[in-house]
Amino acid sequence: MGKINTVNVSKKYTFKESLYLVAIIQGMMITLKRFFEGFVLHKKFTIMYPEERRDYSQRFRGEHFISIDNNKTENCTACFLCETVCPAECIHIVADEREDDQNLYGVKKEKKPLSFDIDALRCCFCGMCEEACPKDAIKLSRNYEMSVLKRDDAIYDLDHLKREVKGLKGRG
Amino acid sequence: MKTELNYQSYKKPVIDTPPATPEAKPTPKITIDGVVIPFQAGDTIMQAAERANAAAEIPRFCYHPGLPIAGTCRMCTVEVEKMPKLMTSCSTPAADGMIVHTQSPKVRKSRTGVMEFLLANHPLDCPVCDKAGECELQDYNFEYGPSTSRFVEEKRVWDDATTKKLSDKVTLNMNRCVHCERCVRFTDEVTKTNDLVMKNRGYKKELSATDEERGLWNDYQGCLTDFCPVGALTFNDFRFHKRVWFLDKKKSICDQCSKGCNIEVHSDQNVVERLMPVFNESVNGHWMCDEGRVSYHTAMNPLRIVSPLLKSKGASKDAALVSTTWEFLFQQLNVVIKSSKKILFIIGTDASCEEAEQVKNWSSKLAGSSVVYFNGVNGVQTSKDDGKLDHLLRMKDKTSNTRGVEALGIQPINPNQVSDADLVIYLRAGRAQLPIEFSSSAPWLLWGVWNLEEVKSVQQKLNVVGLIPGLMTMEKDGSYVNESQLKQTVTTTIQTTGHCLTVNKVIEGLWIK
Ligand code: SF4
Ligand code: SF4
Ligand code: SF4
Ligand code: SF4
Ligand code: FES
């Protein structure tokens, strides 16, 4: 291999720059300014989370839930529309026959989800599932605190999805 | 819009030939939407349109090419010039010089009217309904239907027939029925079992099994669920398992009897969800039997053995087989095969012609070995024992390729050969009988498609030393000769799971080592 010609693109320091001192003083001035703003003038840029929380939009899309009726039966009929539409392919449903004793109010629902899993680690929180659902069953709550200790816990099963979500229009 | 129908219409085009003699009549012709179509005397307008492949433009509920004509749904109306009223194309005989319009405003308006009546009592069930995605009512409503409903009255609901098991195979949801009576005509005219009837009249007309206690009892119940244009009849084996739009559809043949019905394998990510018949005039017509329809469970059986098994050296007769690698299996088998003087190859008659030939060629290279075939299901030994089980499709020979194996000059098995041999290798694709009727002290090698229970029951009688996992019909390319000596070739429809290899690869592997 022959010699490779290289070009030095870094610029030459001027005399003032090569002293470094000026830049250090400039930096210290900024630190000092922020110190005064925070400690003396009490001007804050952060909040005291978790005691304090930001107010997000009503339309914020957070952790999923499945709405339930008065009998705590899920409204979902396992139509697979959310699974079909989900761009992240993170919904996995297994459908089954709904037994008669689960048809309270005499409304015959034939089908139910036997299992309903959402892999929140894959979900991109686009809200398409919510959009597609003909039963208004799957919804995204406003909860953004979704940290878990194990990866497995980020796969929401039916029991987790059917939890009670309080708040404005059921959006928590 | 051309609606895709879940059954195929057929009817070969009539060739417009000039009359042979001056007295003979010329081929009659009909004009459908401006296209001149020659037809056969006796055709209806629908059938004439089918000849030109234009019938998909005519919506229909009650008409089915495999069933007698009823003319009850009025969906197929077309405008015929010089006729005062709209005519049902499925039941109006075509006449020479007729000019038919299938898409005129008057026709479309009539279809919208029919749809509105049908939808008046139809539930809004599509999300729950298994037919959604291949439902003719849905498709036609998209094309012709009113997009809003004027019906404010209470809908008709059959409380006790909302989810009613007509048999252990079929479930009825009467709320969705459009009363086309395809199903009733099928049991009347095709299976001739008359096990479905419409009881009551008019608004209360309800589908029911003739003998409610016995339920449906014909052997072709799956077909009802194929051609029911709506989700009223659903097949329990498929019900709620998959939405149809996820399915990949590939053509194949059924390997459950010597008929070789043409089928479509519907799978998703290499998991077969259901089998459906495909029209083939010379084999199965439009239908297939239920036994064949659920046969994909053999391939999808969770107990199916999909990795090579071997018994450790010196282990007792009923010691368990243990899973091993192909390399080790080949190594060990080579030793066994080389040290055997009289190898007997048994080919199950469910193997394809190609596989049988490959085994035969292999055997010809091994001195002292011989090849025979074995069927054994239903007591069938050779193709001479085969016969029809009913007037439709089902055959006594429950394997797919007895005639193909016979055509290769392979002889049927003789029990003496088994006791003579010092190594027996039995290849089957999950359908030929288990070799439990033979008694032999020689080591046996099982090859092909086996499940755990089958191996266990074979082990009780025979000394099984190893198992070579092979492929099902739908997992490989191959040809099969059916009951009428028709050779049908299929290609791979799903990829096998596990470590199964083709027969060719196994032979090569053993040969090279
Ligand atoms: S929010 Fe979007 S990505 Fe997440 S589950 Fe719903 S459809 Fe899928
Ligand atoms: S779209 Fe709604 S009803 Fe359908 S499966 Fe998803 S959550 Fe259930
Ligand atoms: S039969 Fe067709 S239109 Fe009726 S609910 Fe089922 S899919 Fe929908
Ligand atoms: S059950 Fe299906 S095939 Fe039978 S009459 Fe009703 S819609 Fe037609
Ligand atoms: S298809 Fe012609 S009337 Fe039903």
Side-chain angles (χ1 to χ4, degrees):
Chain A
M1 256 180 41
K3 190 174 176 289
I4 298 166
N5 291 323
T6 54
V7 183
N8 188 354
V9 291
S10 59
K11 79 174 174 62
K12 276 232 158 58
Y13 284 180
T14 60
F15 174 71
K16 198 174 134 199
E17 279 166 346
S18 67
L19 281 181
Y20 295 108
L21 203 63
V22 184
I24 291 172
I25 293 170
Q26 269 173 355
M28 288 306 283
M29 289 300 285
I30 291 171
T31 313
L32 214 64
K33 203 169 127 203
R34 295 282 181 256
F35 178 77
F36 270 105
E37 274 174 358
F39 269 82
V40 184
L41 305 174
H42 291 286
K43 208 169 150 190
K44 281 188 290 180
F45 296 96
T46 54
I47 56 166
M48 295 298 281
Y49 180 84
E51 287 81 13
E52 262 175 70
R53 277 148 205 262
R54 280 203 204 287
D55 190 20
Y56 283 109
S57 147
Q58 284 301 330
R59 290 159 56 181
F60 182 85
R61 300 191 295 265
E63 190 179 12
H64 318 70
F65 70 99
I66 286 182
S67 63
I68 47 177
D69 61 17
N70 297 345
N71 284 304
K72 305 219 188 298
T73 310
E74 65 284 338
N75 285 333
C76 170
T77 56
C79 71
F80 286 65
L81 289 190
C82 50
E83 183 172 327
T84 308
V85 78
C86 176
E89 299 190 357
C90 63
I91 304 180
H92 305 283
I93 307 169
V94 178
D96 196 16
E97 201 94 23
R98 197 185 285 273
E99 297 309 323
D100 277 345
D101 54 2
Q102 285 167 306
N103 289 313
L104 303 159
Y105 315 124
V107 184
K108 182 82 190 170
K109 295 178 180 172
E110 275 185 277
K111 204 177 173 186
K112 70 164 184 199
L114 189 67
S115 77
F116 193 115
D117 296 320
I118 297 182
D119 186 349
L121 296 174
R122 289 194 68 163
C123 173
C124 60
F125 297 93
C126 60
M128 300 262 240
C129 46
E130 190 173 14
E131 200 86 18
C133 182
K135 306 292 282 182
D136 277 347
I138 192 159
K139 287 180 183 169
L140 300 179
S141 70
R142 289 175 66 213
N143 176 22
Y144 50 83
E145 293 164 320
M146 286 176 279
S147 52
V148 285
L149 294 176
K150 290 192 303 254
R151 278 182 169 257
D152 286 0
D153 294 345
I155 296 171
Y156 304 149
D157 61 4
L158 193 56
D159 284 338
H160 178 74
L161 290 166
K162 275 165 74 178
R163 73 192 179 277
E164 213 150 318
V165 175
K166 295 199 187 74
L168 195 99
K169 294 186 209 137
R171 283 177 146 272
Chain B
M1 183 192 77
K2 264 205 174 136
T3 317
E4 219 181 289
L5 303 165
N6 63 1
Y7 51 81
Q8 333 255 304
S9 358
Y10 68 108
K11 290 279 183 291
K12 294 186 196 83
V14 172
I15 312 293
D16 182 18
T17 40
T21 52
E23 307 89 68
K25 278 195 198 143
T27 319
K29 287 180 217 69
I30 183 170
T31 312
I32 298 179
D33 290 338
V35 183
V36 180
I37 298 164
F39 65 93
Q40 214 169 47
D43 279 352
T44 61
I45 299 176
M46 182 81 93
Q47 284 163 343
E50 263 176 359
R51 289 188 190 282
N53 244 336
E57 307 279 0
I58 307 176
R60 80 290 296 274
F61 289 113
C62 66
Y63 174 77
H64 185 286
L67 297 173
I69 289 160
T72 54
C73 73
R74 321 313 283 180
M75 191 62 194
C76 66
T77 48
V78 290
E79 199 174 343
V80 181
E81 277 182 21
K82 302 202 191 83
M83 294 235 189
K85 285 188 188 171
L86 297 179
M87 306 302 288
T88 51
S89 63
C90 69
S91 57
T92 309
D96 195 14
M98 230 180 204
I99 300 171
V100 177
H101 302 283
T102 67
Q103 295 291 338
S104 67
K106 199 170 157 194
V107 170
R108 291 187 73 96
K109 193 163 170 244
S110 143
R111 289 174 187 166
T112 309
V114 173
M115 285 305 297
E116 193 169 3
F117 277 123
L118 286 178
L119 292 173
N121 278 311
H122 199 80
L124 256 177
D125 254 4
C126 301
V128 196
C129 179
D130 249 6
K131 203 76 177 186
E134 55 178 11
C135 171
E136 279 159 57
L137 191 67
Q138 230 181 12
D139 290 349
Y140 295 152
N141 192 50
F142 185 71
E143 176 71 5
Y144 303 104
S147 44
T148 53
S149 171
R150 287 182 285 172
F151 193 72
V152 290
E153 293 76 12
E154 199 159 308
K155 292 209 179 209
R156 171 186 57 188
V157 175
W158 273 276
D159 281 324
D160 47 350
T162 299
T163 315
K164 184 166 152 192
K165 298 265 178 272
L166 287 181
S167 68
D168 52 357
K169 294 181 194 144
V170 174
T171 303
L172 167 71
N173 184 332
M174 197 57 211
N175 298 339
R176 296 183 195 139
C177 173
V178 292
H179 300 95
C180 69
E181 297 194 27
R182 276 183 191 176
C183 50
V184 178
R185 275 176 288 142
F186 179 78
T187 58
D188 282 356
E189 305 283 340
V190 180
T191 63
K192 303 196 195 296
T193 48
N194 297 71
D195 43 359
L196 271 176
V197 280
M198 281 287 179
K199 54 181 190 191
N200 304 333
R201 287 289 166 268
Y203 184 77
K204 291 196 175 146
K205 192 166 171 180
E206 182 184 347
L207 184 70
S208 151
T210 312
D211 179 347
E212 298 233 8
E213 264 165 42
R214 191 172 175 198
L216 289 182
W217 53 274
N218 68 64
D219 296 307
Y220 299 86
Q221 296 174 20
C223 298
L224 299 167
T225 65
D226 289 347
F227 60 60
C228 176
V230 290
L233 296 171
T234 44
F235 197 54
N236 292 348
D237 190 61
F238 177 67
R239 191 172 153 87
F240 298 162
H241 281 200
K242 204 82 202 164
R243 301 319 303 257
V244 297
W245 52 82
F246 289 118
L247 298 173
D248 290 334
K249 302 175 180 175
K250 298 211 186 91
K251 292 210 171 99
S252 183
I253 65 163
C254 171
D255 59 358
Q256 297 293 296
C257 80
S258 57
K259 194 80 191 179
C261 293
N262 289 213
I263 56 168
E264 220 173 38
V265 178
H266 291 192
S267 63
D268 181 33
Q269 295 170 6
N270 281 325
V271 177
V272 182
E273 299 288 349
R274 66 172 171 186
L275 306 178
M276 262 185 153
V278 170
F279 177 74
N280 185 338
E281 198 177 358
S282 47
V283 183
N284 56 323
H286 297 272
W287 325 116
M288 79 182 289
C289 77
D290 291 338
E291 190 178 352
R293 195 180 286 262
V294 297
S295 65
Y296 67 92
H297 287 299
T298 316
M300 294 293 122
N301 191 339
L303 291 181
R304 178 174 160 197
I305 293 168
V306 291
S307 78
L309 301 185
L310 207 56
K311 196 179 318 188
S312 47
K313 249 196 203 127
S316 68
K317 183 169 160 269
D318 36 43
L321 296 161
V322 285
S323 167
T324 178
T325 60
W326 278 111
E327 287 77 13
F328 190 67
L329 182 86
F330 285 153
Q331 216 177 21
Q332 295 297 307
L333 290 190
N334 260 318
V335 177
V336 179
I337 289 172
K338 287 223 177 85
S339 63
S340 307
K341 297 276 166 307
K342 277 176 133 187
I343 305 178
L344 178 66
F345 287 96
I346 308 177
I347 298 174
T349 47
D350 47 1
S352 70
C353 298
E354 289 79 0
E355 287 176 337
E357 200 171 348
Q358 282 154 8
V359 174
K360 197 180 157 209
N361 290 344
W362 182 29
S363 148
S364 65
K365 293 184 202 162
L366 298 168
S369 69
S370 49
V371 190
V372 291
Y373 74 81
F374 177 51
N375 182 337
V377 195
N378 263 352
V380 175
Q381 298 303 338
T382 68
S383 61
K384 290 200 187 63
D385 304 333
D386 198 6
K388 277 170 162 284
L389 283 182
D390 61 19
H391 64 284
L392 264 176
L393 305 171
R394 293 163 65 242
M395 301 298 293
K396 208 167 154 217
D397 178 0
K398 290 294 174 198
T399 61
S400 51
N401 200 23
T402 311
R403 286 156 191 83
V405 177
E406 279 174 357
L408 289 169
I410 300 171
Q411 294 302 315
I413 194 164
N414 176 354
N416 296 337
Q417 283 170 305
V418 180
S419 39
D420 274 0
D422 58 358
L423 174 66
V424 187
I425 303 181
Y426 180 29
L427 167 71
R428 84 193 255 271
R431 190 65 172 161
Q433 190 71 281
L434 302 180
I436 37 181
E437 60 189 71
F438 303 114
S439 56
S440 128
S441 55
W444 278 65
L445 263 175
L446 306 181
W447 188 0
V449 180
W450 298 82
N451 68 42
L452 194 60
E453 267 145 29
E454 288 169 344
V455 174
K456 276 189 181 154
S457 60
V458 174
Q459 269 195 303
Q460 282 174 359
K461 293 238 17 198
L462 301 166
N463 177 22
V464 181
V465 292
L467 190 143
I468 315 171
L471 301 173
M472 287 289 301
T473 306
M474 50 177 99
E475 294 166 347
K476 64 196 176 197
D477 298 356
S479 318
Y480 302 85
V481 179
N482 88 343
E483 143 277 332
S484 50
Q485 301 291 355
L486 180 77
K487 190 166 183 170
Q488 306 190 87
T489 305
V490 295
T491 50
T492 312
T493 49
I494 57 161
Q495 297 301 323
T496 178
T497 46
H499 304 282
C500 310
L501 285 185
T502 58
V503 164
N504 205 13
K505 282 234 171 77
V506 171
I507 295 176
E508 270 174 20
L510 283 169
W511 202 240
I512 290 165
K513 286 277 158 148

